[in-house]
mmCIF file of all heavy atoms in Angstrom:
data_model
loop_
_atom_site.group_PDB
_atom_site.id
_atom_site.type_symbol
_atom_site.label_atom_id
_atom_site.label_comp_id
_atom_site.label_asym_id
_atom_site.label_seq_id
_atom_site.Cartn_x
_atom_site.Cartn_y
_atom_site.Cartn_z
ATOM 1 N N LEU A 75 -40.185 9.073 12.211
ATOM 2 C CA LEU A 75 -39.344 10.240 11.969
ATOM 3 C C LEU A 75 -38.177 10.280 12.932
ATOM 4 O O LEU A 75 -37.064 10.596 12.564
ATOM 5 C CB LEU A 75 -40.167 11.516 12.104
ATOM 6 C CG LEU A 75 -40.841 11.971 10.830
ATOM 7 C CD1 LEU A 75 -41.699 13.191 11.101
ATOM 8 C CD2 LEU A 75 -39.800 12.297 9.767
ATOM 9 N N LEU A 76 -38.421 9.895 14.165
ATOM 10 C CA LEU A 76 -37.349 9.898 15.156
ATOM 11 C C LEU A 76 -36.226 8.979 14.709
ATOM 12 O O LEU A 76 -35.047 9.296 14.832
ATOM 13 C CB LEU A 76 -37.894 9.452 16.517
ATOM 14 C CG LEU A 76 -36.853 9.329 17.626
ATOM 15 C CD1 LEU A 76 -36.161 10.660 17.851
ATOM 16 C CD2 LEU A 76 -37.501 8.849 18.898
ATOM 17 N N ALA A 77 -36.629 7.858 14.160
ATOM 18 C CA ALA A 77 -35.626 6.897 13.731
ATOM 19 C C ALA A 77 -34.707 7.493 12.673
ATOM 20 O O ALA A 77 -33.579 7.073 12.510
ATOM 21 C CB ALA A 77 -36.305 5.652 13.187
ATOM 22 N N GLN A 78 -35.193 8.478 11.955
ATOM 23 C CA GLN A 78 -34.390 9.086 10.897
ATOM 24 C C GLN A 78 -33.394 10.103 11.441
ATOM 25 O O GLN A 78 -32.462 10.474 10.763
ATOM 26 C CB GLN A 78 -35.288 9.815 9.895
ATOM 27 C CG GLN A 78 -36.273 8.916 9.173
ATOM 28 C CD GLN A 78 -35.603 8.151 8.054
ATOM 29 O OE1 GLN A 78 -34.535 8.539 7.619
ATOM 30 N NE2 GLN A 78 -36.204 7.069 7.612
ATOM 31 N N GLN A 79 -33.613 10.606 12.668
ATOM 32 C CA GLN A 79 -32.754 11.670 13.181
ATOM 33 C C GLN A 79 -31.445 11.097 13.667
ATOM 34 O O GLN A 79 -31.418 10.044 14.287
ATOM 35 C CB GLN A 79 -33.434 12.403 14.339
ATOM 36 C CG GLN A 79 -34.829 12.925 14.039
ATOM 37 C CD GLN A 79 -34.843 13.945 12.921
ATOM 38 O OE1 GLN A 79 -33.821 14.565 12.658
ATOM 39 N NE2 GLN A 79 -35.971 14.109 12.274
ATOM 40 N N THR A 80 -30.374 11.801 13.413
ATOM 41 C CA THR A 80 -29.093 11.378 13.951
ATOM 42 C C THR A 80 -28.683 12.403 14.971
ATOM 43 O O THR A 80 -29.185 13.528 14.975
ATOM 44 C CB THR A 80 -28.019 11.343 12.852
ATOM 45 O OG1 THR A 80 -27.856 12.666 12.384
ATOM 46 C CG2 THR A 80 -28.417 10.438 11.712
ATOM 47 N N SER A 81 -27.734 12.044 15.866
ATOM 48 C CA SER A 81 -27.318 13.008 16.875
ATOM 49 C C SER A 81 -26.724 14.233 16.210
ATOM 50 O O SER A 81 -26.913 15.350 16.670
ATOM 51 C CB SER A 81 -26.337 12.367 17.833
ATOM 52 O OG SER A 81 -25.322 11.752 17.103
ATOM 53 N N ALA A 82 -26.023 14.047 15.069
ATOM 54 C CA ALA A 82 -25.432 15.203 14.385
ATOM 55 C C ALA A 82 -26.526 16.136 13.898
ATOM 56 O O ALA A 82 -26.406 17.359 13.991
ATOM 57 C CB ALA A 82 -24.587 14.745 13.217
ATOM 58 N N ALA A 83 -27.627 15.556 13.417
ATOM 59 C CA ALA A 83 -28.710 16.390 12.898
ATOM 60 C C ALA A 83 -29.363 17.191 14.015
ATOM 61 O O ALA A 83 -29.988 18.208 13.777
ATOM 62 C CB ALA A 83 -29.752 15.524 12.201
ATOM 63 N N LEU A 84 -29.219 16.717 15.249
ATOM 64 C CA LEU A 84 -29.845 17.414 16.372
ATOM 65 C C LEU A 84 -28.972 18.520 16.931
ATOM 66 O O LEU A 84 -29.396 19.259 17.806
ATOM 67 C CB LEU A 84 -30.166 16.415 17.488
ATOM 68 C CG LEU A 84 -31.197 15.354 17.110
ATOM 69 C CD1 LEU A 84 -31.403 14.401 18.258
ATOM 70 C CD2 LEU A 84 -32.504 16.004 16.721
ATOM 71 N N GLU A 85 -27.719 18.589 16.469
ATOM 72 C CA GLU A 85 -26.861 19.657 16.971
ATOM 73 C C GLU A 85 -27.339 21.001 16.426
ATOM 74 O O GLU A 85 -28.090 21.050 15.469
ATOM 75 C CB GLU A 85 -25.413 19.397 16.546
ATOM 76 C CG GLU A 85 -24.764 18.388 17.477
ATOM 77 C CD GLU A 85 -23.455 17.877 16.924
ATOM 78 O OE1 GLU A 85 -22.965 18.444 15.945
ATOM 79 O OE2 GLU A 85 -22.965 16.895 17.491
ATOM 80 N N GLY A 86 -26.912 22.085 17.023
ATOM 81 C CA GLY A 86 -27.334 23.389 16.524
ATOM 82 C C GLY A 86 -28.175 24.084 17.577
ATOM 83 O O GLY A 86 -28.256 23.628 18.711
ATOM 84 N N PRO A 87 -28.798 25.210 17.195
ATOM 85 C CA PRO A 87 -29.484 26.049 18.176
ATOM 86 C C PRO A 87 -30.546 25.303 18.962
ATOM 87 O O PRO A 87 -30.639 25.432 20.175
ATOM 88 C CB PRO A 87 -30.119 27.155 17.332
ATOM 89 C CG PRO A 87 -29.627 26.992 15.947
ATOM 90 C CD PRO A 87 -28.901 25.707 15.837
ATOM 91 N N LEU A 88 -31.333 24.467 18.313
ATOM 92 C CA LEU A 88 -32.409 23.759 18.996
ATOM 93 C C LEU A 88 -31.822 22.840 20.068
ATOM 94 O O LEU A 88 -32.263 22.844 21.215
ATOM 95 C CB LEU A 88 -33.212 22.934 17.988
ATOM 96 C CG LEU A 88 -34.258 22.013 18.615
ATOM 97 C CD1 LEU A 88 -35.381 22.833 19.223
ATOM 98 C CD2 LEU A 88 -34.804 21.031 17.592
ATOM 99 N N ALA A 89 -30.799 22.087 19.673
ATOM 100 C CA ALA A 89 -30.189 21.142 20.604
ATOM 101 C C ALA A 89 -29.591 21.896 21.786
ATOM 102 O O ALA A 89 -29.738 21.500 22.932
ATOM 103 C CB ALA A 89 -29.115 20.334 19.896
ATOM 104 N N ALA A 90 -28.950 23.054 21.506
ATOM 105 C CA ALA A 90 -28.292 23.807 22.573
ATOM 106 C C ALA A 90 -29.309 24.254 23.611
ATOM 107 O O ALA A 90 -29.054 24.215 24.803
ATOM 108 C CB ALA A 90 -27.587 25.025 21.974
ATOM 109 N N ARG A 91 -30.500 24.641 23.159
ATOM 110 C CA ARG A 91 -31.502 25.131 24.102
ATOM 111 C C ARG A 91 -32.180 23.984 24.854
ATOM 112 O O ARG A 91 -32.424 24.079 26.026
ATOM 113 C CB ARG A 91 -32.569 25.948 23.356
ATOM 114 C CG ARG A 91 -32.288 27.438 23.409
ATOM 115 C CD ARG A 91 -33.399 28.224 22.765
ATOM 116 N NE ARG A 91 -33.324 28.170 21.320
ATOM 117 C CZ ARG A 91 -34.246 27.643 20.536
ATOM 118 N NH1 ARG A 91 -35.332 27.114 21.038
ATOM 119 N NH2 ARG A 91 -34.110 27.643 19.238
ATOM 120 N N SER A 92 -32.471 22.898 24.165
ATOM 121 C CA SER A 92 -33.375 21.939 24.784
ATOM 122 C C SER A 92 -32.761 20.590 25.142
ATOM 123 O O SER A 92 -33.435 19.782 25.758
ATOM 124 C CB SER A 92 -34.564 21.707 23.850
ATOM 125 O OG SER A 92 -34.052 21.360 22.580
ATOM 126 N N ALA A 93 -31.499 20.340 24.814
ATOM 127 C CA ALA A 93 -30.959 19.008 25.054
ATOM 128 C C ALA A 93 -31.026 18.568 26.514
ATOM 129 O O ALA A 93 -31.491 17.457 26.789
ATOM 130 C CB ALA A 93 -29.535 18.914 24.539
ATOM 131 N N PRO A 94 -30.643 19.428 27.522
ATOM 132 C CA PRO A 94 -30.669 18.932 28.902
ATOM 133 C C PRO A 94 -32.068 18.506 29.336
ATOM 134 O O PRO A 94 -32.252 17.492 29.986
ATOM 135 C CB PRO A 94 -30.186 20.134 29.720
ATOM 136 C CG PRO A 94 -29.449 20.999 28.745
ATOM 137 C CD PRO A 94 -30.111 20.790 27.433
ATOM 138 N N VAL A 95 -33.084 19.289 28.930
ATOM 139 C CA VAL A 95 -34.461 18.957 29.299
ATOM 140 C C VAL A 95 -34.827 17.617 28.679
ATOM 141 O O VAL A 95 -35.372 16.721 29.330
ATOM 142 C CB VAL A 95 -35.426 20.051 28.768
ATOM 143 C CG1 VAL A 95 -36.859 19.715 29.137
ATOM 144 C CG2 VAL A 95 -34.999 21.405 29.278
ATOM 145 N N LEU A 96 -34.491 17.488 27.403
ATOM 146 C CA LEU A 96 -34.829 16.254 26.701
ATOM 147 C C LEU A 96 -34.174 15.057 27.360
ATOM 148 O O LEU A 96 -34.782 14.022 27.560
ATOM 149 C CB LEU A 96 -34.363 16.331 25.234
ATOM 150 C CG LEU A 96 -35.155 17.270 24.343
ATOM 151 C CD1 LEU A 96 -34.512 17.337 22.969
ATOM 152 C CD2 LEU A 96 -36.585 16.763 24.223
ATOM 153 N N LEU A 97 -32.884 15.246 27.712
ATOM 154 C CA LEU A 97 -32.152 14.138 28.320
ATOM 155 C C LEU A 97 -32.821 13.717 29.631
ATOM 156 O O LEU A 97 -33.024 12.543 29.884
ATOM 157 C CB LEU A 97 -30.707 14.545 28.593
ATOM 158 C CG LEU A 97 -29.747 14.387 27.405
ATOM 159 C CD1 LEU A 97 -28.365 14.872 27.788
ATOM 160 C CD2 LEU A 97 -29.687 12.926 26.975
ATOM 161 N N ARG A 98 -33.196 14.755 30.468
ATOM 162 C CA ARG A 98 -33.815 14.438 31.754
ATOM 163 C C ARG A 98 -35.116 13.676 31.528
ATOM 164 O O ARG A 98 -35.358 12.652 32.129
ATOM 165 C CB ARG A 98 -34.080 15.730 32.538
ATOM 166 C CG ARG A 98 -32.883 16.166 33.409
ATOM 167 C CD ARG A 98 -33.348 17.054 34.542
ATOM 168 N NE ARG A 98 -34.058 18.237 34.114
ATOM 169 C CZ ARG A 98 -33.460 19.344 33.644
ATOM 170 N NH1 ARG A 98 -32.145 19.394 33.536
ATOM 171 N NH2 ARG A 98 -34.155 20.380 33.284
ATOM 172 N N GLN A 99 -35.914 14.176 30.579
ATOM 173 C CA GLN A 99 -37.203 13.532 30.326
ATOM 174 C C GLN A 99 -36.990 12.108 29.843
ATOM 175 O O GLN A 99 -37.630 11.179 30.313
ATOM 176 C CB GLN A 99 -37.951 14.307 29.251
ATOM 177 C CG GLN A 99 -38.475 15.616 29.768
ATOM 178 C CD GLN A 99 -39.605 16.119 28.883
ATOM 179 O OE1 GLN A 99 -39.833 15.558 27.838
ATOM 180 N NE2 GLN A 99 -40.289 17.144 29.314
ATOM 181 N N ASP A 100 -36.035 11.961 28.904
ATOM 182 C CA ASP A 100 -35.792 10.641 28.322
ATOM 183 C C ASP A 100 -35.383 9.641 29.390
ATOM 184 O O ASP A 100 -35.826 8.516 29.418
ATOM 185 C CB ASP A 100 -34.704 10.731 27.261
ATOM 186 C CG ASP A 100 -35.329 10.835 25.876
ATOM 187 O OD1 ASP A 100 -36.567 10.788 25.786
ATOM 188 O OD2 ASP A 100 -34.572 10.946 24.926
ATOM 189 N N ARG A 101 -34.457 10.093 30.285
ATOM 190 C CA ARG A 101 -33.949 9.169 31.312
ATOM 191 C C ARG A 101 -35.068 8.711 32.237
ATOM 192 O O ARG A 101 -35.204 7.540 32.554
ATOM 193 C CB ARG A 101 -32.843 9.846 32.118
ATOM 194 C CG ARG A 101 -31.611 10.130 31.277
ATOM 195 C CD ARG A 101 -30.394 9.396 31.788
ATOM 196 N NE ARG A 101 -29.336 9.457 30.786
ATOM 197 C CZ ARG A 101 -28.380 10.364 30.755
ATOM 198 N NH1 ARG A 101 -28.293 11.268 31.689
ATOM 199 N NH2 ARG A 101 -27.479 10.359 29.803
ATOM 200 N N SER A 102 -35.923 9.713 32.679
ATOM 201 C CA SER A 102 -36.948 9.336 33.642
ATOM 202 C C SER A 102 -37.957 8.376 33.022
ATOM 203 O O SER A 102 -38.523 7.552 33.697
ATOM 204 C CB SER A 102 -37.627 10.582 34.190
ATOM 205 O OG SER A 102 -38.274 11.231 33.114
ATOM 206 N N MET A 103 -38.164 8.488 31.702
ATOM 207 C CA MET A 103 -39.143 7.602 31.067
ATOM 208 C C MET A 103 -38.449 6.384 30.458
ATOM 209 O O MET A 103 -39.052 5.638 29.704
ATOM 210 C CB MET A 103 -39.841 8.334 29.921
ATOM 211 C CG MET A 103 -40.460 9.661 30.289
ATOM 212 S SD MET A 103 -41.460 10.314 28.949
ATOM 213 C CE MET A 103 -40.285 10.521 27.642
ATOM 214 N N SER A 104 -37.188 6.222 30.770
ATOM 215 C CA SER A 104 -36.392 5.258 30.012
ATOM 216 C C SER A 104 -36.879 3.821 30.178
ATOM 217 O O SER A 104 -37.196 3.363 31.270
ATOM 218 C CB SER A 104 -34.939 5.349 30.458
ATOM 219 O OG SER A 104 -34.197 4.398 29.751
ATOM 220 N N SER A 105 -36.913 3.125 29.072
ATOM 221 C CA SER A 105 -37.240 1.702 29.130
ATOM 222 C C SER A 105 -36.011 0.857 28.860
ATOM 223 O O SER A 105 -36.081 -0.353 28.803
ATOM 224 C CB SER A 105 -38.318 1.398 28.086
ATOM 225 O OG SER A 105 -37.813 1.768 26.815
ATOM 226 N N VAL A 106 -34.874 1.537 28.675
ATOM 227 C CA VAL A 106 -33.675 0.754 28.337
ATOM 228 C C VAL A 106 -33.018 0.210 29.605
ATOM 229 O O VAL A 106 -33.041 0.857 30.656
ATOM 230 C CB VAL A 106 -32.636 1.565 27.517
ATOM 231 C CG1 VAL A 106 -33.211 2.035 26.204
ATOM 232 C CG2 VAL A 106 -32.088 2.737 28.305
#
Side-chain angles (χ1 to χ4, degrees):
L75 271 176
L76 176 59
Q78 298 281 341
Q79 307 298 337
T80 63
S81 51
L84 296 178
E85 279 167 11
L88 173 69
R91 264 184 283 117
S92 53
V95 180
L96 289 175
L97 275 178
R98 272 203 303 281
Q99 287 200 351
D100 263 358
R101 294 242 167 94
S102 63
M103 307 189 298
S104 178
S105 59
V106 299

